[in-house]
Amino acid sequence: MLEAEFDVLIVGAGHAGTEAAVAAARTGARVAIVTSALETIGQMSCNPAIGGVAKGTVVREVDALGGIMGRATDLATLQFRMLNRGKGPAVWAPRAQCDRGLYRRAVRVLLETHENLQTIQGTVARLILEEGGRRVAGVETLEGRRFGARAVVITTGTFLRGRIHIGTETALSGGRAGESSTTHLAEQLERAGLEVARFKTGTPPRIDGRSVDVSRLDRQESELAATGYRWSHFWERDSREAGEAGGPPRDQYAAVAPFDHHQIAAGIAPPPLPQLACLISYLEAPGKRIIQDNIGRSAMYGGAISAQGPRYCPSVEDKIVKFPDAERHQLFLEPEGLDTTEMYVNGLSTSLPPAVQVEILRTVPGLEQVRMTRAGYAIEYDYYPPTQLDATLQTRAIAGLYLAGQVNGTTGYEEAAGQGVVAGLNAAHGALGRAPVVLGRETSYIGVLVDDLVTRGVDEPYRLFTSRSEFRLTVRQDNALARLAPIARAAGLYDEREERLASRRLAMETEALQLAERTSVQPATIAELLARASSSPLPHAMRIAEIAKRQGVSLGDLFRAADVAHHIDDDALITAELELKYAGYFARERGQADKLRRMGSFPLETDLPYLEMRSLSFEARQKLSRLRPASLAQASRVPGISPTDLQNLVIEVERRRAQAKANGAA
């Protein structure tokens, strides 16, 4: 007996699960999200921050595909910074500190704006399988509730056989502090034939901000007031003003104030939260000595954990062991919310015993009298090597089963959210009989992420960097909408209001470029502007498009000097300016992207007999037979596949197609 039937069921309600649910719901599918506690939907399990280098671009891509991470961040931002500002807009990276509790509430409100999306509390114990275990048909919870579905997306994060370690003597079963791990589902997936492995991650201690000597620490202030940055493209243009007119005054707005569901659904954001500073201090020689003296009591170095951890987010024990000559290590004290004094000690992830953690904290300048509210810990968990998935994140072993987030061997909220969109969208398309949606490397960082996972696999928790992309000049945070709106529209991910806002923003970019091309200015008009930028004066009247190519001269300043384009948003101006300044570089990179698209248009059938293709190297035959790439472009990125292998692969495939055609004609 089934309690209810859906097109798509999502298991887990973290960053991957919530994005998967929204993406599926936007296609018109009937969707349910099943989680062990509705109160933890959208929980920020680790640091209270969204964005960063490459990650901030992913958030904007998720937003351009109709996702909710950017919108929730706008509703919960306590501090905003644009990283890499000194390097030019082409590599700017937005990052926000969030009110942890308010972010979680924002996610739930945004989920509940979708009428065809249901939330269910329960712990999934097993999948309901059909066709001899080869196709998923629903889920059953520990409580005995059964739900049918044509597709299931598993987004369980660190909960599958999760084990928490604090020191070498304390090990607890759990997927997160205070929450039970999931064992039954993990055991079933392993029995079903999925390859399973173990990774580890960790979290630092939290402290009481009232016990910090703020006068001794450096402050990092928010840039939100100066930039007016919005993560989401889909707020009404005057949403801040509308929010202020219809809601509480700015100075009275607090985290305890409820969201207005109707305004949020209409794209009207409340006013920004009061902004808070982050504090900066350092782990110095005294703290390093304590760690060195107690290294054997660390779960990682004491032998309690053997799983590989993230290279780019190391524990403090790793820092001390691997960088012994470093004079000191920077720590960021990040506020957790407006309704709490608790702070997150970024940079001090550890699995040392709690007493040692307190001792280390009190060696940090400004923390001599600190009170630790929560101890840091490490956690081991199951993940499924992602080479078992295709480019839609569907498992090859079980039809209709998709995986997204940390279960695929990644780390980070943003990476999880990007996978959630891909898995949720494709799960819905599969359930509804529609064509799959595959994002190419040339379209997005999400495309890079998924392609890296399914073709190359992981040997440590995967984190996204700009260096992983061949197209980082043309795949930027400012042009996410231009890149992905056509895909979102084709997949039906926008409602009428969002379609209007997307069209308006893209039209502004086009108008800015056209205005720059047809508007000329006299030398005297911008003489002072050029002098401030240490740029030579104009010899005669020139078009703004030409002047904007100069270093240090912004398109916005030129338009203001010429008294035009007052109605064009700053975001659109930035994109237009970059297109003008770096046109030559962009043209070369887009040429490479076109070549990749052509390779991507050469499909590879899933049943190709690679092991019989003697013109390919033995290594190529083995890897292609195991990974089953969907296109020549994807095959080209499999490690060990040479250009000669690719040329011979094309010949082999074309010969087989010709034979099949001839046999069909006969």
Side-chain angles (χ1 to χ4, degrees), residues 411-476:
T411 181
Y413 301 153
E414 302 81 2
E415 287 87 345
Q419 293 171 72
V421 172
V422 172
L425 175 58
N426 280 293
H429 275 222
L432 299 174
R434 300 175 188 170
V437 177
V438 176
L439 301 180
R441 298 178 72 90
E442 75 284 358
T443 67
S444 59
Y445 274 111
I446 297 176
V448 171
L449 163 68
V450 172
D451 187 67
D452 279 355
L453 292 176
V454 302
T455 61
R456 301 176 183 179
V458 293
D459 55 13
E460 63 187 21
Y462 178 100
R463 180 178 175 184
L464 200 58
F465 291 97
T466 55
S467 59
R468 297 191 190 272
S469 173
E470 309 92 317
F471 306 106
R472 50 190 175 273
L473 290 180
T474 50
V475 177
R476 309 182 307 274

Side-chain angles (χ1 to χ4, degrees), residues 50 72 142 160 190 197 207 250 254 286 375-376 419 434 446 467 486 592 658:
I50 295 291
L142 282 176
L160 293 182
E190 190 169 13
I207 60 175
R250 184 188 306 253
Q419 293 171 72
R434 300 175 188 170
I446 297 176
S467 59
Q592 295 171 348

Side-chain angles (χ1 to χ4, degrees), residues 134-272:
R134 301 293 297 173
R135 174 172 291 280
V136 73
V139 303
E140 182 177 336
T141 72
L142 282 176
E143 300 81 7
R145 304 176 73 183
R146 291 166 56 87
F147 302 96
R150 296 175 180 173
V152 173
V153 185
I154 294 179
T155 68
T156 45
T158 60
F159 278 77
L160 293 182
R161 290 193 283 215
R163 192 159 182 80
I164 294 170
H165 296 267
I166 308 175
T168 54
E169 298 178 359
T170 303
L172 309 168
S173 176
R176 189 162 51 208
E179 298 181 53
S180 300
S181 60
T182 300
T183 301
H184 298 79
L185 179 59
E187 292 172 346
Q188 183 193 20
L189 290 173
E190 190 169 13
R191 289 195 304 271
L194 291 184
E195 180 189 352
V196 62
R198 299 279 278 177
F199 272 159
K200 67 79 75 166
T201 189
T203 190
R206 273 72 155 178
I207 60 175
D208 187 338
R210 296 172 298 178
S211 63
V212 176
D213 185 354
V214 177
S215 65
R216 300 192 55 198
L217 304 181
D218 295 330
R219 294 173 62 87
Q220 186 183 75
E221 303 292 348
S222 175
E223 298 175 338
L224 186 64
T227 63
Y229 189 87
R230 301 182 196 181
W231 288 85
S232 178
H233 301 90
F234 298 108
W235 298 119
E236 293 290 347
R237 188 178 188 188
D238 299 323
S239 63
R240 292 187 180 183
E241 293 77 7
E244 289 169 13
R250 184 188 306 253
D251 59 358
Q252 294 179 19
Y253 191 86
V256 295
F259 289 123
D260 184 318
H261 286 60
H262 298 292
Q263 284 197 336
I264 299 303
I268 300 173

Side-chain angles (χ1 to χ4, degrees), residues 397-414:
I398 303 174
L401 180 64
Y402 298 75
L403 307 182
Q406 279 185 283
V407 292
N408 288 339
T410 64
T411 181
Y413 301 153
E414 302 81 2

Side-chain angles (χ1 to χ4, degrees), residues 297-320:
R297 302 177 68 189
S298 160
M300 190 70 183
Y301 285 90
I305 296 177
S306 58
Q308 178 66 42
R311 178 189 307 181
Y312 300 103
C313 188
S315 67
V316 71
E317 295 97 303
D318 275 338
K319 293 178 184 178
I320 300 308

